[in-house]
Amino acid sequence: MTSRAAKVPVGKPESLGDWQALIAWRCGDTTAATVLAKRYLDPLMRFFASKVHDPEDAAELVSETFLGFTMGRDRIEHHHSLRSYLFGIAA
């Protein structure tokens, strides 16, 4: 049985695509995690704000979504859209 180690993507974290940033994060690049959080913060806030109509509640739901994302980041498979995965947690 052989295993393939994930290679850390090269480049500035801000310029990485979602999957490249996720791989970098899995390999220990916390800047890549911050990039993903910044990339999806506003869309998730808008999503929850339209559901709960309270900014504090929406922020709490975003935090819970990112917590779920953090806990499951090693199980996310590449055939899924990262955006869909995040909004699946949100729903």
Side-chain angles (χ1 to χ4, degrees), residues 1-82:
M1 178 189 248
T2 62
S3 65
R4 290 183 283 164
K7 293 184 180 180
V8 177
V10 178
K12 293 181 179 180
E14 304 83 30
S15 67
L16 298 176
D18 286 349
W19 290 109
Q20 292 171 316
L22 178 61
I23 291 167
W25 183 21
R26 286 174 174 168
C27 293
D29 184 346
T30 57
T31 303
T34 301
V35 166
L36 288 170
K38 287 181 179 179
R39 189 173 292 166
Y40 286 103
L41 177 64
D42 287 340
L44 286 168
M45 280 297 293
R46 284 191 301 272
F47 173 78
F48 284 121
S50 73
K51 306 291 184 207
V52 297
H53 306 291
D54 181 328
E56 289 181 17
D57 289 343
E60 179 65 26
L61 291 167
V62 169
S63 293
E64 290 177 16
T65 299
F66 281 129
L67 177 61
F69 179 48
T70 299
M71 294 177 69
R73 74 178 185 254
D74 292 329
R75 294 184 303 271
I76 303 169
E77 296 185 21
H78 191 249
H79 65 271
H80 295 286
S81 158
L82 198 58

